[in-house]
């Protein structure tokens, strides 16, 4: 279609041919996706299981590259399909507007000319002689053939109708010409480099391609995504789509579908793996600190997803990934839709999408999943970084200035996530455990105070907690017998002063002497308050305290140490804590080893 589009060309445009071409690109995309799956699930697995040595390693590397190439073909062909379908969708809208105008003209016996002007017949009556007023021609860009009536001459009643039709015809043609121009530019840019190898720079281009197609396809696809719906409504929306519609959403909006609570885990995993490559391409080459930090975390997650699972380890599912804020990542070990027992771990202070999270926080979820699966082979554990945890450069001392805002926002998002887990879980009565570590325990506490509490959660585990925002375990909404606390003796975060105690103590410290201790007693008579409320490990709080190791002392061989704060999930460094957490997450809390309250 040329830029000099006519209304006859728009009327006669065969949008079905555009959609037929889109179907062809869709078939190519699906074939590439199937080839990628065969490489990753069959060839690579078989090669790793049966072959060793340098030749086998080289073959694995080449197969991985081939798989990435097929992933690129899948992505680009999917973008082409959606671009053509979106073009057809927008053009068909203008066709309908044009045909409605032409039908109105035919009904009135008006003539629509090739240039879009409309001729209308004589009509009405003159005010002086009563004779019919002569006809004329209305054009959208002025009043060609039409003379403005004087105060003594009544207008031809057909004139206004003809003007409306002319405006509608011209408007539809102009809109269609703009659509044609816009999509022609997108299609010209959807092309790959020559050769078989897909370098990192090509993925950067693919990220730009996807962003451009997403912008163009808003009315065609994005507007229908139920972003403001409940997880159950989202689940039902996805179930009601055709296979072709699902494929288009996954190809063009992997970022939206992959992070939409209520979408099945297998679908989210597939979408997020594709979006992971696009995010890496987007951040590739940037030199700002945030991009460099997040890129390192994304690459480590990509490495783990591509590595062969060790014997006995659960499969890895990427349930969320984004560069929003300090970064988002949600990783499940085990399928949370098929698991009877599912644990979701919320990390705390200084956690962000970086290499440390990808190595250490994911390991905590993996260690928990392996512990749960000892009791329930189908169990799953999730590392949930779905919010911006407070960040600082001075370590845990910043808890003294950390407020409740991040916890409140994170709590709302955590509730949406667990609501999605409940909506997609295939078991009749799944057992869900929320685990909050450090500031993450404050986030879990905030989640319990919103709405009706955390959807679907049966048990709550708090470890390394500076307080959760409430003073009694029963206030967390699951019953005090379902709230569990682990607090290492040498974990300084579990012994932070309360806010009043810190304020009064600062004044008393300036005076020194016995007033320091008197001030502390006045501010916290029972000495069982922390920064965010009652100490969860205290008798007054009323939770079930489980046994954990004391942890390394605050002063180690190489200086101050806060290691006691970070080893609750590690079966080697704190076997007692890891074992108890696994029992609770597996629904066997009656077998935990308890510890006296503080």
């Amino acid at each position: 279609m040329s830029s000099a589009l006519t209304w006859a060309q728009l009327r006669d445009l065969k949008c079905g041919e555009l959609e037929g071409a889109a179907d062809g690109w869709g078939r190519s995309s699906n074939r590439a996706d199937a080839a990628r799956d065969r490489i990753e699930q069959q060839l690579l697995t078989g090669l790793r299981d049966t072959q060793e040595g340098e030749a086998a390693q080289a073959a694995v590397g080449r197969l991985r590259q081939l798989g990435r190439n097929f992933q690129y073909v899948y992505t680009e062909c999917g973008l082409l399909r959606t671009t053509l379908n979106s073009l057809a969708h927008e053009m068909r809208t203008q066709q309908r507007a044009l045909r409605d105008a032409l039908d109105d003209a035919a009904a009135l016996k008006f003539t629509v000319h090739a240039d879009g002007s409309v001729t209308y017949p004589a009509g009405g009556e003159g005010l002086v002689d009563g004779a019919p007023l002569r006809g004329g021609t209305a054009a959208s860009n002025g009043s060609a053939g039409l003379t403005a009536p004087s105060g003594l001459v009544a207008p031809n009643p057909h004139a206004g109708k003809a003007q409306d039709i002319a405006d509608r015809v011209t408007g539809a043609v102009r809109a269609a010409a703009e659509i044609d121009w816009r999509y022609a530019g997108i299609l010209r840019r959807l092309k790959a480099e020559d050769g078989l190898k897909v370098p990192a720079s090509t993925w950067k281009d693919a990220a730009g391609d996807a962003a451009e197609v997403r912008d163009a396809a808003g009315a065609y696809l994005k507007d229908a995504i139920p972003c403001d719906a409940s997880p159950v409504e989202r689940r039902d929306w996805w179930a009601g789509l055709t296979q072709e519609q699902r494929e288009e959403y996954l190809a063009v909006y992997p970022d939206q579908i992959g992070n939409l609570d209520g979408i099945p885990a297998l679908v989210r995993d597939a979408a997020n793996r594709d979006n992971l490559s696009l995010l890496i391409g987007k951040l590739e080459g940037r030199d700002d600190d945030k991009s460099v930090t997040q890129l390192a975390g994304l690459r480590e997650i990509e490495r783990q997803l591509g590595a062969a699972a060790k014997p006995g380890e659960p499969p890895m599912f990427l349930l969320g990934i984004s560069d929003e804020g300090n970064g988002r990542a949600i990783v499940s070990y085990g399928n949370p839709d098929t698991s009877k027992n599912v644990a979701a771990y919320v990390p705390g202070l200084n956690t962000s999408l970086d290499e440390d999270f990808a190595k250490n926080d994911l390991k905590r979820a993996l260690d928990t999943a392996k512990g749960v699966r000892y009791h329930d082979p189908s169990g799953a554990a999730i590392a949930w970084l779905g919010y911006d945890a407070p960040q600082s450069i001075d370590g845990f001392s910043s808890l003294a200035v950390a407020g409740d805002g991040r916890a409140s926002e994170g709590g709302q998002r955590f509730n949406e996530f667990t609501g999605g887990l409940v909506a997609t879980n295939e078991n009749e009565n799944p057992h869900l455990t929320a685990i909050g570590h450090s500031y993450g325990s404050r986030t879990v506490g905030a989640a319990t105070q919103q709405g009706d509490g955390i959807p679907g959660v049966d048990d709550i585990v708090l470890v390394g907690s500076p307080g959760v925002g409430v003073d009694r375990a029963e206030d967390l909404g699951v019953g005090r017998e379902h709230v569990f606390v682990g607090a290492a003796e040498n974990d300084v975060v579990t012994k932070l002063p309360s806010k009043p105690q810190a304020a009064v103590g600062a004044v008393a410290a300036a005076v020194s002497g016995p007033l320091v201790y008197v001030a502390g007693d006045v501010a916290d008579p029972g000495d069982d308050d922390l920064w965010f409320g009652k100490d969860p490990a205290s008798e007054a709080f009323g939770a079930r305290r489980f046994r954990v190791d004391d942890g390394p002392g605050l002063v180690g061989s190489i200086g101050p140490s806060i290691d006691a704060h970070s080893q609750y999930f590690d079966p080697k460094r704190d076997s007692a804590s890891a074992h108890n957490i696994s029992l609770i997450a597996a629904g066997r809390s009656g077998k935990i080893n308890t510890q006296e309250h503080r």
Side-chain angles (χ1 to χ4, degrees):
M1 296 173 63
S2 67
S3 58
L5 180 68
T6 67
W7 64 260
Q9 288 176 314
L10 175 59
R11 178 197 61 194
D12 298 336
L13 176 65
K14 295 179 174 59
C15 291
E17 292 183 356
L18 292 173
E19 292 168 334
D23 290 341
W25 286 109
R27 288 190 291 272
S28 296
S29 179
N30 291 339
R31 284 195 292 268
D33 192 34
R36 177 185 59 172
D37 285 346
R38 184 166 183 266
I39 289 171
E40 294 178 352
Q41 298 177 13
Q42 297 180 30
L43 298 181
L44 278 173
T45 301
L47 189 60
R48 292 191 189 104
D49 292 344
T50 61
Q51 304 294 322
E52 295 181 356
E54 293 183 6
Q57 293 177 358
V60 166
R62 291 181 180 179
L63 283 172
R64 282 179 176 168
Q65 180 60 57
L66 183 59
R68 284 179 60 80
N69 291 356
F70 276 122
Q71 182 181 3
Y72 175 75
V73 173
Y74 158 78
T75 298
E76 291 292 301
C77 289
L79 293 176
L80 278 164
R81 172 176 58 183
T82 298
T83 300
L84 291 171
N85 276 333
S86 184
L87 170 59
H89 171 79
E90 292 195 38
M91 283 298 194
R92 190 173 275 117
T93 299
Q94 300 309 319
Q95 274 187 328
R96 284 195 295 268
L98 171 65
R99 286 170 178 163
D100 287 345
L102 295 177
D103 289 344
D104 288 345
L108 294 168
K109 300 186 182 330
F110 293 175
T111 300
V112 181
H113 301 285
D115 63 356
S117 60
V118 179
T119 296
Y120 56 92
E125 295 181 353
L127 295 178
V128 177
D129 57 8
L133 298 172
R134 72 172 184 266
T137 300
S140 184
N141 60 351
S143 55
L146 189 64
T147 302
S150 70
L152 298 177
V153 180
N156 185 324
H158 297 310
K161 298 176 183 178
Q163 187 66 56
D164 174 67
I165 292 172
D167 289 340
R168 288 156 60 194
V169 168
T170 301
V173 172
R174 287 176 177 171
E178 187 278 330
I179 293 166
D180 175 47
W181 174 83
R182 177 159 44 89
Y183 278 93
I186 295 173
L187 289 168
R188 279 194 296 269
R189 288 185 287 275
L190 286 174
K191 60 182 181 180
E193 298 179 6
D194 293 336
L196 297 176
K197 189 174 182 180
V198 179
S201 60
T202 304
W203 276 107
K204 182 178 180 180
D205 292 339
D209 292 342
E212 192 169 20
V213 174
R214 280 196 290 266
D215 289 341
Y220 172 58
L221 287 178
K222 184 180 180 181
D223 292 348
I225 299 176
C227 296
D228 296 328
S230 69
V232 171
E233 290 170 332
R234 294 168 179 169
R235 178 199 64 195
D236 294 343
W237 167 77
W238 183 260
L241 296 177
T242 66
Q243 183 59 29
E244 180 180 356
Q245 289 172 322
R246 293 176 184 174
E247 290 169 0
E248 286 201 76
Y249 277 113
L250 287 173
V252 182
Y253 292 103
D255 56 331
Q256 297 265 345
I257 302 303
N259 291 288
L260 200 61
D261 298 318
I263 301 298
L266 286 172
V267 176
R268 293 181 70 166
D269 178 64
N272 285 314
R273 287 176 187 247
D274 291 332
N275 192 40
L276 178 62
S277 295
L278 294 175
L279 282 174
I280 290 174
K282 173 184 174 181
L283 300 179
E284 188 73 45
R286 296 185 181 180
D287 58 3
D288 60 285
D289 291 343
K290 175 183 174 181
S291 296
V292 171
T293 297
Q294 291 188 354
L295 185 59
L298 292 171
R299 288 200 178 283
E300 174 58 22
I301 292 174
E302 181 185 48
R303 184 197 68 78
Q304 293 183 36
L305 288 169
K310 297 178 181 178
E313 287 190 355
M316 188 175 177
F317 293 82
L318 189 58
L319 301 182
I321 198 73
S322 168
D323 60 347
E324 176 189 353
N326 294 325
R328 305 283 187 265
I330 306 172
V331 177
S332 179
Y333 293 93
N335 187 338
D337 289 351
T338 59
S339 299
K340 174 72 173 179
N341 293 287
V342 182
Y345 146 64
V346 182
L349 185 70
N350 283 337
T351 309
S352 64
L353 178 55
D354 56 15
E355 193 170 9
D356 180 74
F357 169 82
K359 289 182 177 179
N360 296 321
D361 286 278
L362 293 193
K363 182 180 181 298
R364 291 172 182 172
L366 176 59
D367 285 338
T368 300
K370 289 192 289 187
V372 172
R373 289 168 82 92
Y374 179 81
H375 307 284
D376 171 16
S378 73
I382 300 166
W384 184 84
L385 180 59
Y387 78 120
D388 280 333
Q391 304 290 306
S392 72
I393 59 173
D394 61 343
F396 294 102
S397 63
S398 70
L399 274 173
V401 296
D404 299 305
R406 298 287 181 89
S408 179
E409 179 183 352
Q412 179 180 350
R413 294 194 176 197
F414 186 63
N415 283 351
E416 293 171 357
F417 175 72
T418 58
L421 292 180
V422 173
T424 58
N425 192 281
E426 299 171 6
N427 293 278
E428 185 176 353
N429 292 303
H431 171 253
L432 183 58
T433 303
I435 305 174
H437 174 242
S438 186
Y439 188 87
S441 67
R442 177 67 187 93
T443 302
V444 170
T448 67
Q449 303 305 296
Q450 300 178 17
D452 295 326
I454 309 178
V457 164
D458 302 285
D459 292 313
I460 293 175
V461 176
L462 311 168
V463 289
S465 176
V468 296
V470 300
D471 290 334
R472 301 180 305 169
E474 53 261 40
D475 293 336
L476 295 179
V478 294
R480 60 183 295 174
E481 69 278 7
H482 291 284
V483 180
F484 304 87
V485 177
E489 182 62 27
N490 293 323
D491 182 355
V492 65
V493 175
T494 69
K495 296 185 176 182
L496 288 174
S498 66
K499 294 177 183 179
Q501 192 175 30
V504 175
V507 175
V511 181
S512 191
L515 285 178
V516 174
Y517 302 101
V518 173
D521 290 340
V522 171
D524 182 11
D527 195 25
D528 54 9
D529 288 338
L530 299 179
W531 188 258
F532 291 116
K534 193 68 65 181
D535 179 2
S538 69
E539 184 175 5
F541 189 80
R544 296 171 64 184
R545 188 183 183 190
F546 57 86
R547 192 170 71 83
V548 304
D549 292 340
D550 290 344
L554 295 177
V555 179
S557 58
I558 58 174
S561 168
I562 56 173
D563 288 350
H565 184 66
S566 59
Q567 63 185 33
Y568 291 100
F569 302 87
D570 194 316
K572 293 183 179 179
R573 296 194 298 165
D574 192 342
S575 59
S577 177
H579 177 64
N580 284 320
I581 291 174
S582 297
L583 283 171
I584 298 166
R588 303 192 175 197
S589 59
K591 296 185 177 182
I592 64 170
N593 297 315
T594 59
Q595 187 171 356
E596 290 185 5
H597 293 104
R598 287 177 173 173

